Amino acid sequence: MRGEDPRRRRFRILGLALWSLAMLALGVGLGAWLTASRAVPAAEDSADSVSSSSLTESSEGLDAEAEASQPAAEQPEDQEEDQTAEATDSSAASESSVEPEAPELTREEAITAQAQELLDSMTLAEQVYQMFIVTPETLTGVSTVTQAGATTQAALQSHPVGGLVYFAANIVTPEQCTTMISNTQSYSKIGLFIAVDEEGGRVARIGKNRAMGTTAFPSMSDIGSTGDVSKAYEVGSTIGTEIAQFGFNLDFAPVADVNSNPNNTVIGDRAFGSDPEAVAEMVASAVQGFRDSGMLCTLKHFPGHGDTDTDSHYGYTEVLKTLQELRSVEFLPFQAGIDAGADFVMMGHISVPEVTGDDTPASLSATMITILRDELNFQGLVITDSMVMSAITDRYTSAQAAVLAVQAGVDVILEPSSLTGAVQGILSAVEDGTISEERIRESVLKILEVKIRNGIIASEF
């Protein structure tokens, strides 16, 4: 290249120099870009390192208030949105999987629910036994019961009756009576009706025993003759309060009969009088007194024993009245007592052929119980009078009477002459289809509801 023009050579050298500079600049730029790219994870590592350092410093004793003032670590916006979406989805899924809360039950609905649950846990035999109230002697086989121990406990296990009724011979002193009843209740799987005939006047199983320290009342006819309904209230309230302290929870009172037949030998001065409207006022007031004392009470003896001239304790007894005549006299006190809230109505062993068309006692008559339920609108417990009375035992076996009573609509059978015979009679009737199991369950559910409602069976309401 010796002959090359010097000027041309300078241009070539300058071009090479410019190209070299361009290549150098490109290399520098590429290196810078690569360095920047590698610096991103390094920055992240640095951030983690700083965070770790902060945690280390915190663990080494940074001031708690200073720690509280530190802002929470920030998250990328897209990550926060994802977590929010996940939380929302999780909340929605949780809400959709939770069963809606059942509406709160009313007290009566809760009572029925508890009674139904208890009923469903019972055998058929246990259900049937609930329909009986018996004497402690019938239950245990002991001649006169004044205490409750192992014999009573074993008897209640094998014969789990719905209740016991006590008479004067069972009641000696307040302490003895209270202990006997308390022990008896403790032995029963299901709370018992503890009953007594305490009317005041000449029928006072407790009041006639001075050792018991209760109030002695004159006859109900004397109370009625005053015309002061507050005195009838006092009878119910005082008797209820006084006998409750011994453990009784059911009184077979007040008498709702109208003493309209001067030849009547069984009612007489046990009734509040002979004027049906005046008697009705007295009965309603007495029922209110019992209710205010917390004592279950019983209207007796439906459809009315006041116009009979024979005593059903000793044989066949009838009332020769039409339904309309009963409505105008006998039914008035019962209706008043039902309206006042009576818990039980006791069916008398009284035949009413002009109404039923035959001589079936009212206690075994579907016709009379239907009238009580539908016409007088009684929704409580229907109980028979004592089934050891001759009006029953002269004509029926214990099993026959029990089956007829249940078929008629009775809920509780009082004092069968044979408990085992009566129970077996009902069980056999269910087995052969004479009585449906549903019929038994209907009465037992009502019995359990009354016990729960009145604290005889424990509840949370």
Side-chain angles (χ1 to χ4, degrees), residues 228-310:
D228 185 353
V229 295
S230 69
K231 293 188 179 299
Y233 176 90
E234 182 184 353
V235 170
S237 176
T238 303
I239 289 177
T241 300
E242 291 181 345
I243 68 175
Q245 67 183 314
F246 307 125
F248 292 97
N249 52 43
L250 170 60
D251 194 358
F252 293 140
V255 169
D257 303 312
V258 179
N259 188 34
S260 56
N261 188 333
N263 296 320
N264 189 297
T265 59
V266 62
I267 300 302
D269 64 359
R270 295 168 64 191
F272 284 105
S274 57
D275 180 342
E277 293 184 354
V279 172
E281 292 180 355
M282 291 288 175
V283 167
S285 188
V287 168
Q288 191 59 56
F290 279 114
R291 285 179 59 81
D292 288 350
S293 74
M295 182 63 53
L296 296 169
C297 67
T298 310
L299 304 175
K300 60 186 189 184
H301 312 78
F302 190 81
H305 212 323
D307 196 21
T308 62
D309 55 12
T310 55

Coordinates of all heavy atoms in Angstrom, one line a residue, residues 228-310:
D228 N -119.0 -15.6 99.5 CA -117.7 -14.9 99.3 C -116.7 -15.8 98.6 O -116.1 -16.8 99.2 CB -117.1 -14.5 100.7 CG -115.9 -13.7 100.6 OD1 -115.3 -13.5 99.5 OD2 -115.4 -13.2 101.7
V229 N -116.5 -15.5 97.3 CA -115.7 -16.4 96.5 C -114.2 -16.3 96.9 O -113.5 -17.3 96.7 CB -115.8 -16.0 95.0 CG1 -117.2 -16.3 94.5 CG2 -115.4 -14.6 94.7
S230 N -113.8 -15.3 97.6 CA -112.4 -15.2 98.1 C -112.1 -16.3 99.1 O -111.0 -16.7 99.2 CB -112.1 -13.8 98.7 OG -112.8 -13.7 99.9
K231 N -113.2 -16.8 99.8 CA -113.0 -17.9 100.7 C -112.7 -19.2 100.0 O -111.9 -20.0 100.5 CB -114.2 -18.0 101.7 CG -114.4 -16.8 102.6 CD -115.4 -17.1 103.6 CE -115.6 -15.9 104.6 NZ -114.3 -15.6 105.3
A232 N -113.3 -19.4 98.9 CA -113.0 -20.6 98.1 C -111.6 -20.5 97.5 O -110.9 -21.5 97.5 CB -114.0 -20.7 96.9
Y233 N -111.2 -19.3 97.1 CA -109.8 -19.1 96.7 C -108.8 -19.4 97.8 O -107.8 -20.1 97.6 CB -109.6 -17.6 96.2 CG -108.2 -17.3 95.8 CD1 -107.8 -17.5 94.5 CD2 -107.3 -16.9 96.8 CE1 -106.4 -17.2 94.2 CE2 -105.9 -16.6 96.5 CZ -105.5 -16.8 95.1 OH -104.2 -16.5 94.8
E234 N -109.2 -19.0 99.0 CA -108.3 -19.3 100.1 C -108.1 -20.7 100.4 O -107.1 -21.2 100.7 CB -108.9 -18.6 101.4 CG -108.0 -18.7 102.6 CD -108.6 -18.1 103.9 OE1 -109.7 -17.5 103.7 OE2 -108.1 -18.3 105.0
V235 N -109.2 -21.5 100.2 CA -109.2 -22.9 100.4 C -108.2 -23.5 99.4 O -107.3 -24.3 99.8 CB -110.6 -23.6 100.2 CG1 -110.4 -25.1 100.1 CG2 -111.5 -23.2 101.3
G236 N -108.3 -23.2 98.1 CA -107.4 -23.7 97.1 C -106.0 -23.3 97.3 O -105.0 -24.1 97.3
S237 N -105.8 -22.0 97.6 CA -104.4 -21.5 97.8 C -103.7 -22.1 99.0 O -102.6 -22.5 98.9 CB -104.5 -20.0 97.9 OG -103.2 -19.4 98.1
T238 N -104.5 -22.1 100.1 CA -103.9 -22.6 101.4 C -103.6 -24.1 101.3 O -102.5 -24.5 101.7 CB -104.8 -22.3 102.6 OG1 -105.1 -20.9 102.6 CG2 -104.2 -22.7 103.9
I239 N -104.6 -24.9 100.9 CA -104.4 -26.3 100.8 C -103.2 -26.6 99.9 O -102.3 -27.4 100.2 CB -105.6 -27.1 100.3 CG1 -106.7 -27.0 101.4 CG2 -105.3 -28.5 99.9 CD1 -108.0 -27.7 101.1
G240 N -103.2 -26.0 98.7 CA -102.1 -26.2 97.7 C -100.8 -25.9 98.3 O -99.8 -26.7 98.1
T241 N -100.6 -24.8 98.9 CA -99.3 -24.4 99.5 C -98.9 -25.3 100.6 O -97.7 -25.7 100.7 CB -99.4 -22.9 100.0 OG1 -99.8 -22.0 99.0 CG2 -98.1 -22.5 100.6
E242 N -99.8 -25.7 101.5 CA -99.4 -26.5 102.6 C -99.1 -27.9 102.2 O -98.1 -28.5 102.8 CB -100.6 -26.5 103.6 CG -100.7 -25.1 104.3 CD -101.8 -25.1 105.4 OE1 -102.7 -26.0 105.4 OE2 -101.9 -24.1 106.2
I243 N -99.8 -28.5 101.3 CA -99.5 -29.9 101.0 C -98.3 -30.0 100.1 O -97.6 -31.0 100.0 CB -100.7 -30.7 100.4 CG1 -101.1 -30.2 99.0 CG2 -101.8 -30.6 101.4 CD1 -102.2 -31.0 98.4
A244 N -98.0 -28.9 99.3 CA -96.8 -28.9 98.5 C -95.5 -29.1 99.3 O -94.5 -29.7 98.8 CB -96.8 -27.7 97.6
Q245 N -95.5 -28.6 100.5 CA -94.3 -28.6 101.3 C -93.9 -30.1 101.7 O -92.7 -30.3 101.9 CB -94.4 -27.8 102.6 CG -95.4 -28.3 103.5 CD -95.6 -27.5 104.8 OE1 -94.7 -27.0 105.3 NE2 -96.9 -27.2 105.1
F246 N -94.8 -31.0 101.6 CA -94.6 -32.4 101.9 C -94.2 -33.2 100.6 O -93.7 -34.3 100.8 CB -95.8 -33.0 102.6 CG -96.3 -32.3 103.7 CD1 -97.6 -31.9 103.8 CD2 -95.5 -32.0 104.8 CE1 -98.1 -31.2 104.9 CE2 -96.0 -31.3 105.9 CZ -97.3 -30.9 106.0
G247 N -94.4 -32.6 99.5 CA -94.0 -33.3 98.3 C -95.2 -33.6 97.4 O -95.0 -34.2 96.3
F248 N -96.4 -33.3 97.8 CA -97.6 -33.5 96.9 C -97.6 -32.5 95.8 O -97.2 -31.4 95.9 CB -98.9 -33.4 97.7 CG -99.0 -34.5 98.7 CD1 -98.7 -34.3 100.1 CD2 -99.6 -35.7 98.4 CE1 -98.8 -35.3 101.0 CE2 -99.7 -36.7 99.3 CZ -99.3 -36.5 100.6
N249 N -98.0 -33.0 94.6 CA -98.1 -32.1 93.5 C -99.5 -32.2 92.8 O -99.7 -31.4 91.8 CB -97.0 -32.4 92.4 CG -96.9 -33.8 92.0 OD1 -97.9 -34.5 91.8 ND2 -95.7 -34.3 92.0
L250 N -100.4 -33.0 93.3 CA -101.7 -33.2 92.7 C -102.7 -33.4 93.7 O -102.6 -34.3 94.6 CB -101.7 -34.4 91.7 CG -103.0 -34.9 91.2 CD1 -103.7 -33.8 90.3 CD2 -102.8 -36.1 90.3
D251 N -103.8 -32.6 93.7 CA -104.9 -32.7 94.6 C -106.1 -33.1 93.9 O -106.5 -32.5 92.8 CB -105.1 -31.4 95.4 CG -106.0 -31.6 96.6 OD1 -106.5 -32.7 96.9 OD2 -106.2 -30.6 97.3
F252 N -106.8 -34.1 94.4 CA -108.1 -34.5 93.8 C -109.2 -33.6 94.4 O -110.1 -34.1 95.2 CB -108.4 -36.0 94.0 CG -107.5 -36.9 93.3 CD1 -107.0 -38.0 93.9 CD2 -107.0 -36.6 92.0 CE1 -106.1 -38.9 93.2 CE2 -106.2 -37.4 91.3 CZ -105.7 -38.6 91.9
A253 N -109.2 -32.3 94.1 CA -110.1 -31.3 94.5 C -110.0 -30.2 93.5 O -109.0 -30.0 92.9 CB -109.8 -30.9 96.0
P254 N -111.0 -29.3 93.4 CA -112.2 -29.2 94.2 C -113.4 -30.1 93.7 O -113.4 -30.5 92.5 CB -112.6 -27.8 94.1 CG -112.1 -27.4 92.7 CD -110.9 -28.2 92.5
V255 N -114.4 -30.3 94.5 CA -115.6 -30.9 94.1 C -116.4 -29.9 93.3 O -116.6 -28.8 93.7 CB -116.5 -31.4 95.3 CG1 -117.9 -31.8 94.9 CG2 -115.7 -32.5 96.0
A256 N -116.8 -30.3 92.1 CA -117.6 -29.4 91.2 C -119.0 -29.9 91.0 O -119.7 -29.4 90.2 CB -116.9 -29.4 89.8
D257 N -119.4 -30.8 91.9 CA -120.8 -31.3 91.9 C -121.8 -30.3 92.5 O -121.4 -29.5 93.4 CB -120.9 -32.6 92.7 CG -120.0 -33.7 92.1 OD1 -120.0 -33.9 90.9 OD2 -119.3 -34.3 93.0
V258 N -123.0 -30.3 92.0 CA -124.0 -29.4 92.5 C -124.9 -30.3 93.4 O -125.5 -31.3 92.9 CB -124.9 -28.8 91.4 CG1 -126.0 -27.9 92.0 CG2 -124.0 -27.9 90.5
N259 N -125.0 -30.0 94.6 CA -125.8 -30.8 95.6 C -127.3 -30.6 95.4 O -127.9 -30.0 96.3 CB -125.3 -30.6 97.0 CG -125.9 -31.6 98.0 OD1 -126.1 -32.7 97.7 ND2 -126.2 -31.1 99.2
S260 N -127.8 -31.1 94.4 CA -129.2 -30.8 94.1 C -130.2 -31.8 94.5 O -131.4 -31.6 94.4 CB -129.4 -30.6 92.5 OG -128.9 -31.7 91.8
N261 N -129.8 -33.0 95.0 CA -130.7 -34.0 95.4 C -130.5 -34.2 96.9 O -129.5 -34.6 97.4 CB -130.3 -35.3 94.7 CG -131.3 -36.4 95.0 OD1 -132.0 -36.4 96.0 ND2 -131.4 -37.4 94.0
P262 N -131.6 -33.9 97.7 CA -131.5 -34.0 99.2 C -131.2 -35.4 99.7 O -130.8 -35.6 100.8 CB -132.8 -33.5 99.6 CG -133.7 -33.6 98.5 CD -132.9 -33.4 97.3
N263 N -131.5 -36.4 98.8 CA -131.3 -37.8 99.2 C -129.9 -38.3 98.9 O -129.5 -39.5 99.0 CB -132.3 -38.7 98.5 CG -133.7 -38.4 98.9 OD1 -134.0 -38.2 100.1 ND2 -134.6 -38.5 98.0
N264 N -129.0 -37.4 98.4 CA -127.7 -37.7 98.0 C -126.9 -38.1 99.3 O -126.8 -37.3 100.2 CB -127.0 -36.6 97.3 CG -125.7 -36.9 96.6 OD1 -124.7 -37.3 97.3 ND2 -125.6 -36.9 95.3
T265 N -126.2 -39.2 99.2 CA -125.4 -39.7 100.4 C -123.9 -39.5 100.2 O -123.2 -39.7 101.2 CB -125.8 -41.1 100.7 OG1 -125.4 -41.9 99.6 CG2 -127.2 -41.3 101.0
V266 N -123.5 -39.3 99.0 CA -122.0 -39.3 98.8 C -121.4 -37.9 98.7 O -120.3 -37.6 99.0 CB -121.7 -40.1 97.5 CG1 -122.3 -39.5 96.3 CG2 -120.2 -40.2 97.3
I267 N -122.2 -36.9 98.2 CA -121.7 -35.6 98.0 C -122.1 -34.7 99.1 O -121.3 -34.2 99.9 CB -122.2 -35.0 96.6 CG1 -121.7 -35.8 95.5 CG2 -121.7 -33.5 96.5 CD1 -120.2 -36.0 95.4
G268 N -123.4 -34.3 99.3 CA -123.8 -33.5 100.4 C -123.0 -32.3 100.6 O -122.8 -31.4 99.7
D269 N -122.4 -32.1 101.8 CA -121.7 -30.9 102.2 C -120.3 -30.8 101.6 O -119.6 -29.9 101.8 CB -121.6 -30.8 103.7 CG -120.8 -31.9 104.4 OD1 -120.3 -32.8 103.7 OD2 -120.7 -31.8 105.6
R270 N -119.9 -31.8 100.8 CA -118.7 -31.7 100.0 C -118.8 -30.7 98.9 O -117.8 -30.1 98.4 CB -118.2 -33.1 99.5 CG -117.9 -34.1 100.6 CD -117.8 -35.5 99.9 NE -116.7 -35.6 99.0 CZ -116.5 -36.6 98.2 NH1 -117.4 -37.6 98.2 NH2 -115.5 -36.6 97.4
A271 N -120.0 -30.4 98.4 CA -120.2 -29.5 97.4 C -120.4 -28.1 97.9 O -120.7 -27.9 99.1 CB -121.5 -29.8 96.6
F272 N -120.1 -27.1 97.1 CA -120.2 -25.7 97.5 C -121.7 -25.2 97.7 O -121.9 -24.2 98.3 CB -119.5 -24.7 96.5 CG -118.0 -24.8 96.6 CD1 -117.2 -25.4 95.7 CD2 -117.4 -24.1 97.7 CE1 -115.9 -25.4 95.8 CE2 -116.0 -24.1 97.8 CZ -115.2 -24.8 96.8
G273 N -122.6 -26.0 97.2 CA -124.0 -25.7 97.4 C -124.9 -26.3 96.3 O -124.5 -27.2 95.6
S274 N -126.2 -25.8 96.3 CA -127.2 -26.4 95.4 C -127.5 -25.4 94.2 O -128.2 -25.8 93.3 CB -128.4 -26.7 96.1 OG -128.9 -25.5 96.8
D275 N -127.0 -24.2 94.2 CA -127.3 -23.3 93.2 C -126.1 -23.4 92.2 O -125.0 -23.1 92.5 CB -127.3 -21.8 93.7 CG -127.5 -20.8 92.7 OD1 -127.3 -21.0 91.5 OD2 -127.9 -19.6 93.1
P276 N -126.4 -23.9 90.9 CA -125.3 -24.2 90.0 C -124.5 -22.9 89.6 O -123.2 -23.1 89.5 CB -126.1 -24.7 88.8 CG -127.5 -24.3 88.9 CD -127.7 -24.2 90.4
E277 N -125.1 -21.8 89.5 CA -124.3 -20.6 89.2 C -123.4 -20.2 90.3 O -122.2 -19.8 90.1 CB -125.2 -19.5 88.8 CG -125.9 -19.8 87.5 CD -126.8 -18.6 87.0 OE1 -126.9 -17.6 87.7 OE2 -127.4 -18.7 85.9
A278 N -123.9 -20.2 91.6 CA -123.1 -19.9 92.7 C -121.9 -20.9 92.9 O -120.8 -20.5 93.2 CB -124.0 -19.8 94.0
V279 N -122.3 -22.2 92.7 CA -121.2 -23.2 92.8 C -120.2 -23.0 91.7 O -119.0 -23.1 92.0 CB -121.9 -24.6 92.6 CG1 -120.8 -25.7 92.5 CG2 -122.8 -24.9 93.8
A280 N -120.6 -22.6 90.5 CA -119.6 -22.4 89.5 C -118.6 -21.3 89.8 O -117.4 -21.4 89.6 CB -120.4 -22.0 88.2
E281 N -119.1 -20.2 90.5 CA -118.2 -19.1 90.9 C -117.2 -19.6 91.9 O -116.0 -19.3 91.9 CB -119.0 -17.9 91.4 CG -119.8 -17.2 90.3 CD -120.6 -16.1 90.9 OE1 -120.6 -15.9 92.1 OE2 -121.2 -15.3 90.1
M282 N -117.7 -20.4 92.9 CA -116.8 -20.9 93.9 C -115.8 -21.9 93.4 O -114.6 -21.8 93.7 CB -117.7 -21.7 95.0 CG -118.6 -20.8 95.8 SD -117.6 -19.8 97.0 CE -118.9 -18.7 97.7
V283 N -116.2 -22.7 92.5 CA -115.3 -23.7 91.9 C -114.1 -23.0 91.1 O -113.0 -23.3 91.2 CB -116.0 -24.7 90.9 CG1 -115.0 -25.5 90.1 CG2 -116.9 -25.6 91.8
A284 N -114.5 -22.0 90.3 CA -113.5 -21.2 89.5 C -112.5 -20.5 90.5 O -111.3 -20.5 90.2 CB -114.2 -20.2 88.6
S285 N -113.0 -20.0 91.6 CA -112.2 -19.3 92.5 C -111.2 -20.3 93.2 O -110.0 -20.0 93.4 CB -113.0 -18.6 93.5 OG -112.2 -17.7 94.3
A286 N -111.7 -21.5 93.6 CA -110.9 -22.5 94.2 C -109.8 -23.0 93.2 O -108.6 -23.1 93.6 CB -111.8 -23.7 94.7
V287 N -110.2 -23.2 92.0 CA -109.2 -23.6 91.0 C -108.1 -22.6 90.9 O -106.9 -22.9 90.8 CB -109.9 -23.8 89.6 CG1 -108.8 -24.0 88.5 CG2 -110.7 -25.1 89.7
Q288 N -108.5 -21.3 90.8 CA -107.5 -20.2 90.7 C -106.5 -20.3 91.9 O -105.3 -20.1 91.8 CB -108.1 -18.9 90.6 CG -107.2 -17.8 90.3 CD -106.5 -18.0 88.9 OE1 -107.1 -18.2 87.9 NE2 -105.1 -18.0 88.9
G289 N -107.1 -20.5 93.1 CA -106.3 -20.6 94.3 C -105.3 -21.8 94.2 O -104.1 -21.6 94.6
F290 N -105.7 -22.9 93.7 CA -104.8 -24.1 93.6 C -103.7 -23.7 92.6 O -102.5 -24.0 92.8 CB -105.6 -25.3 93.1 CG -106.3 -26.1 94.2 CD1 -107.6 -26.1 94.2 CD2 -105.5 -26.7 95.1 CE1 -108.3 -26.8 95.2 CE2 -106.1 -27.4 96.2 CZ -107.5 -27.5 96.2
R291 N -104.1 -23.1 91.4 CA -103.1 -22.8 90.4 C -102.1 -21.8 90.9 O -100.9 -21.9 90.6 CB -103.9 -22.2 89.2 CG -104.6 -23.2 88.4 CD -105.3 -22.6 87.2 NE -104.4 -21.9 86.3 CZ -103.6 -22.5 85.4 NH1 -103.6 -23.8 85.2 NH2 -102.8 -21.7 84.6
D292 N -102.5 -20.8 91.7 CA -101.6 -19.8 92.2 C -100.6 -20.4 93.2 O -99.5 -19.9 93.4 CB -102.3 -18.6 92.8 CG -103.0 -17.7 91.8 OD1 -102.7 -17.9 90.6 OD2 -103.8 -16.9 92.2
S293 N -101.0 -21.5 93.8 CA -100.1 -22.2 94.8 C -99.2 -23.1 94.1 O -98.2 -23.7 94.7 CB -101.0 -23.0 95.8 OG -101.5 -24.2 95.2
G294 N -99.4 -23.4 92.8 CA -98.6 -24.3 92.0 C -99.0 -25.7 92.1 O -98.3 -26.6 91.6
M295 N -100.2 -26.0 92.7 CA -100.7 -27.3 92.9 C -101.6 -27.7 91.7 O -102.5 -26.9 91.3 CB -101.5 -27.4 94.2 CG -102.0 -28.8 94.5 SD -100.8 -30.1 94.7 CE -99.7 -29.3 96.0
L296 N -101.4 -28.9 91.1 CA -102.3 -29.4 90.1 C -103.6 -29.8 90.8 O -103.6 -30.3 91.9 CB -101.8 -30.6 89.4 CG -100.5 -30.4 88.6 CD1 -99.9 -31.8 88.2 CD2 -100.8 -29.6 87.4
C297 N -104.8 -29.5 90.2 CA -106.0 -29.7 90.8 C -107.0 -30.5 89.9 O -106.7 -30.6 88.7 CB -106.7 -28.4 91.3 SG -107.2 -27.3 90.0
T298 N -108.1 -31.0 90.4 CA -109.0 -31.9 89.7 C -110.4 -31.5 90.0 O -110.8 -31.5 91.1 CB -108.7 -33.4 90.2 OG1 -107.3 -33.6 90.2 CG2 -109.5 -34.4 89.4
L299 N -111.2 -31.4 88.9 CA -112.6 -31.2 89.0 C -113.3 -32.6 89.1 O -113.0 -33.4 88.3 CB -113.2 -30.4 87.8 CG -112.6 -29.1 87.5 CD1 -113.1 -28.5 86.2 CD2 -112.8 -28.1 88.7
K300 N -114.2 -32.8 90.1 CA -114.8 -34.1 90.2 C -116.3 -33.9 90.6 O -116.6 -32.9 91.2 CB -114.0 -35.0 91.1 CG -113.9 -34.5 92.6 CD -113.0 -35.4 93.3 CE -113.0 -35.0 94.8 NZ -112.0 -35.8 95.6
H301 N -117.2 -34.8 90.2 CA -117.1 -36.0 89.5 C -117.9 -35.9 88.2 O -119.1 -36.0 88.4 CB -117.5 -37.2 90.3 CG -117.0 -37.2 91.8 ND1 -117.4 -36.4 92.8 CD2 -116.0 -37.9 92.3 CE1 -116.8 -36.6 93.9 NE2 -115.8 -37.6 93.6
F302 N -117.3 -35.7 87.1 CA -118.1 -35.5 85.9 C -118.9 -36.7 85.5 O -118.4 -37.8 85.6 CB -117.1 -35.1 84.7 CG -117.8 -34.6 83.5 CD1 -118.2 -33.3 83.4 CD2 -118.0 -35.4 82.4 CE1 -118.8 -32.8 82.3 CE2 -118.6 -34.9 81.3 CZ -119.0 -33.6 81.2
P303 N -120.1 -36.5 85.0 CA -120.8 -35.3 84.6 C -121.6 -34.6 85.8 O -122.3 -33.7 85.6 CB -121.8 -35.8 83.6 CG -122.1 -37.2 84.0 CD -120.9 -37.7 84.6
G304 N -121.3 -35.1 87.0 CA -122.0 -34.5 88.2 C -122.6 -35.6 89.0 O -123.5 -36.4 88.6
H305 N -122.2 -35.7 90.3 CA -122.7 -36.8 91.2 C -123.7 -36.2 92.2 O -124.1 -36.9 93.1 CB -121.5 -37.3 92.0 CG -121.6 -38.8 92.3 ND1 -122.8 -39.4 92.7 CD2 -120.7 -39.8 92.3 CE1 -122.6 -40.7 93.0 NE2 -121.3 -40.9 92.8
G306 N -124.1 -34.9 92.0 CA -124.9 -34.3 93.0 C -126.4 -34.6 93.0 O -127.1 -34.4 94.0
D307 N -126.9 -35.2 91.9 CA -128.3 -35.5 91.8 C -128.5 -37.0 91.8 O -129.5 -37.5 91.2 CB -128.8 -34.9 90.5 CG -130.4 -34.9 90.5 OD1 -130.9 -34.9 91.6 OD2 -131.0 -34.8 89.4
T308 N -127.6 -37.7 92.4 CA -127.8 -39.2 92.6 C -128.3 -39.5 94.0 O -128.1 -38.7 94.9 CB -126.5 -39.9 92.3 OG1 -125.6 -39.5 93.4 CG2 -125.9 -39.7 91.0
D309 N -129.1 -40.6 94.1 CA -129.5 -41.0 95.4 C -128.8 -42.3 95.8 O -129.3 -42.9 96.8 CB -131.0 -41.1 95.5 CG -131.6 -42.0 94.4 OD1 -130.8 -42.8 93.8 OD2 -132.8 -42.0 94.2
T310 N -127.8 -42.7 95.1 CA -127.0 -43.9 95.5 C -125.5 -43.5 95.4 O -125.2 -42.5 94.7 CB -127.3 -45.1 94.6 OG1 -127.1 -44.7 93.2 CG2 -128.7 -45.6 94.7

